[in-house]
Amino acid sequence: MSEITDFDALRRALAENAEEPEGPARNARAEQLLAEAEKLNIPLAVIEALGHQLKVYNYSSEKDRMFVPFARLLRMWDERPEDFDEYETHSLHWVFKWMSAGMLDQPHIPLASIEKWLGEMEHRYRLAGHSERAVRSAEFSVAAHIGDLARAERAYAAWLAADRDAMADCHACELHGQGVWQVRCGRDAEALQLWRPVLEGEFTCAHEPHTVLASSLAPLLRLGRLEEARAHHLRGFRLVRSMESMRGAYADHVEFCALTGNEARGLELLAERPAYFTDTGHPRSRLDFLAVVALLMDRLTELGLGAQRVPGPAGRTWTARELAAHARAEATDLAERFDRRNGTSAVGDRIRARMAQRPLEERLPLGVRTGRPAPAAAPVAAVPDVPGEPGLPDLPALLAEARRLSQTLRPHALQAWAAVARAAGDGAGLEPRDRAEIADHEAMARGPEGLPLFERAADLYAEAGDPGEALAARARAAYIRALAGEVDAALAAVTELYDQVLALYADEGTGVRQTASVVMSRARVLMRRVHEAAAGGGQDAARAVAEAEAAVREVPALVEGCGGDDVRLAARAAEARAMLAELAALTGDAERAAELFRCSADAYVAAGLPWFAVEYEVQVAALAHQAGDLAGAEQALRAALEHGGPYVEPVGRAQLHLQLAEVLGGRDAPGEAAEHALQAAHWADEAGESGTLGAWARQQLGGFLLRRGRYAEAAEVLESALADLSAETHGDGVVVQAHWWLGDCLGELGEHRAAAEERLKAADLARHWPEQQDHATLAHLAAESLGNAGLAAEADRAYARAGELWRALGNSPFLVRSLRARAWLALGGESGAADARALMAEAIRECASALAAAEGADREELAEELGGTHRQYAELLARSASEEAEDAAIRAAFEAALEQMSRAVAVFAGLGAAGLHSRTGAELGAGWLEADLGRPAGAAARARAVLAAYEGADDGDETVLARREEAAQMLEAARGGEDAERD
């Protein structure tokens, strides 16, 4: 750290410290700089150092320390106001407002002292000729804080009525304060309307839109504007995360998590800022923070997680229940200190209401990964209210409900039969038919392990006098064997059962439902043989398909027209159509397959069984996607989501939403695509697939948000996705794309160093790919980010690497662009004008060489690039002239620049109408160079050439209007120069 030896060095050091992150380290440096300023024996140096110290204290957790430097500044002003320059005079009066708010935020400062200070502020502002707007704003803050609502309303009206002047807070801060008052008065919609210009970026400052975004969260939730609330949380938290002084806004984001079922994310936020529990320099924001900590911990305790370990004040471990009690006690005590000072209960009332809030949403998906602190309840089969002894299930009622669910093919039928089995125990006292059905459904639930139970069920069905159902149970067992890989044995068994049931059916010994069950089991087994044979191909595969198709067609032939109200028979016919669709797909008839899958799905829906349609609608979507029919794919996926409803498992819902998101993205509907990707991420989290399917959904969501220009939200989501994405699980292409998109977001947000890091990570992964286009593009983008971050040397190396890749790929336009970029970097660096000119000349040679060898459309692109390079070379030569010491050298640089600009004109002219705007722009550039060289006639000729080029052009074209205006200005200036020459 260099010693401060003069005022300029002090100012540089103050400016550097101002750019450091908020916090104790910056504050300590400000104190050191004040000590250095005092050694200079320059009053203004001390004034500036005190002002800097006051500012860094105000923007930190040590706000209570700003009163001392302000008191010293005020004393210096009273003693020698002439020591203050115009800026410091303004600053001194400006921070009067900070003192007013700062006193209010410290409960140990008496209210009488605050009121006295308001009078002092009003007096000094009047002496300085300032409006009373800032004074009335400060008075409003005091009245609102202590709960004097009548005085607050009067001060509020006077604040808005007073003229804005140099002492008024910026528009953004004023609108924030006005909106907060509207919220307090129960006018959420009015507050959001007031905040709109801040939220849309019309008004900004160091703390806005940070605090407006945070303050808007609860009003948006109360108004049901959930998407906006989610967006404001993601965007706003990113802004306040690194700012130590934003504890109050940070608390709003923790509160948002507690009110929206995002308790786990709330815990993550607490873990990021442990000092917020204990920093005492700003009691008012600490009070708000402790209140929402209590709110969040109470919510966790309600969810049965009171014993869960949570982040809390350092020095010990905390459970949610313990931290809730601690935070509530601390908040209550602190609120009482404010109320004792104020003589009202306003602060305590507000804090108690805040801690007592109830969730406004059960779960609002955010798109970022957060584990659910409480496991979601598993769906259970409905059990009817039945009479009987309290606490004991009624077995006949359970049986009736299970039969109803299975006979109508309702979801959770197997769970209902499991409840029957638990209630029945060993089955003593039950009829054989009852025991048969219990065993049959338990076998279905257990898969291959249930094969003996199918045999038991068959024996019991036979004992109950239902030989057809006994054959159906054994046929189901055969299909399970086929699924386990025993296809030949299964086929032999089911063929025998098939012959028996047809004979029994012909003798009217069983019904169509039992017969259809065996016929369907045989068809299913034959379908398994098709899949086995398909791997080998040839005649065996063709024969397997033919036999399976014949077996499948027997099902609708048997059941259609016989079903009546029996949905099980309608389901058999629908399943048969799906099997025929599968066979058509296997034989390459995709169009026929899609038609049959649609028929199957429609049949299930018509039978009142829409949840069975989902699988086949997904198949329709896949086939439509393969055929390039995105509209058809979208329609099928929407139907699948509609028909699946709550019956599809979370992982299935996640997959459906993600597929639809991808289709909508392909149809250029990123807004709706983002909503479905968000839902996909949510359901993946619910399914416990956050790190796999969830990460993929978040990656897609980030991309869609990026396409919509919602860069802060996209960055937050992509950072969350990258924590889980891996090349092994998701593929390196997905990981590269996530880094790439994140780099784009960070670049748009002005975080250029971070953008460069992401692009370099992506480039490092892509450098191993056989195709190097992406590697080259990412290296080039990283170079741009490095340059924007002010890292010229690193940017030059990255551009050089990109240039090598572009050369290897034969991409001359981008090679030329990399050379031009390096030339501009060299001009501003240590190497200076000589290296810059050499690089720009190399760019021209490369482009000219490529143009000479190009054909067709490539020639036009390269000609445009060559013209642009000549023009940039001219601009570089003109700009570098200021570095030359001699007038002759400056003139020579301008002559060289004019030559390059003239070449640009010639190249663009060769492009005809396509190069018109580029040619006139270069012509005007050449004209100004002519003027700088003292050649008004040449400048006038250039201006006339531009005006002639646009004769009869569209007057509504903005470029045309701008060119004409500039040419007219040049012509006027040239005439003045010619007149001066004649004089």
Side-chain angles (χ1 to χ4, degrees), residues 710-861:
R710 293 163 62 170
Y711 306 117
E713 298 167 62
E716 197 75 8
V717 169
L718 289 166
E719 286 170 350
S720 177
L722 281 165
D724 290 316
L725 288 174
S726 68
E728 295 75 20
T729 302
H730 303 93
D732 54 1
V734 172
V735 181
V736 166
Q737 186 64 80
H739 282 296
W740 192 332
W741 281 337
L742 180 54
D744 290 348
C745 292
L746 295 170
E748 293 290 345
L749 293 170
E751 301 175 33
H752 299 299
R753 184 188 291 264
E757 291 174 0
E758 295 301 325
R759 287 165 168 172
L760 288 170
K761 288 176 185 176
D764 187 58
L765 288 169
R767 66 190 174 92
H768 301 294
W769 293 355
E771 171 53 56
Q772 288 289 284
Q773 177 74 25
D774 285 340
H775 182 200
T777 303
L778 285 161
H780 199 111
L781 290 171
E784 287 183 7
S785 294
L786 290 165
N788 290 332
L791 302 171
E794 293 87 342
D796 181 72
R797 287 194 294 271
Y799 274 125
R801 175 60 180 146
E804 293 171 3
L805 293 166
W806 293 130
R807 191 186 301 276
L809 288 166
N811 191 322
S812 296
F814 276 92
L815 169 60
V816 169
R817 291 172 197 176
S818 68
L819 289 167
R820 289 198 312 244
R822 292 182 65 198
W824 286 110
L825 287 169
L827 183 63
E830 295 180 2
S831 53
D835 284 357
R837 292 170 182 173
L839 284 162
M840 199 65 82
E842 183 182 352
I844 287 176
R845 288 194 300 273
E846 290 285 351
C847 198
S849 175
L851 178 60
E855 297 179 356
D858 290 343
R859 287 190 59 81
E860 183 173 324
E861 180 186 3

Side-chain angles (χ1 to χ4, degrees), residues 83 129 279 431 510 522 694 973:
D83 289 340
D279 284 343
E431 295 295 325
T510 191
R522 175 172 173 266

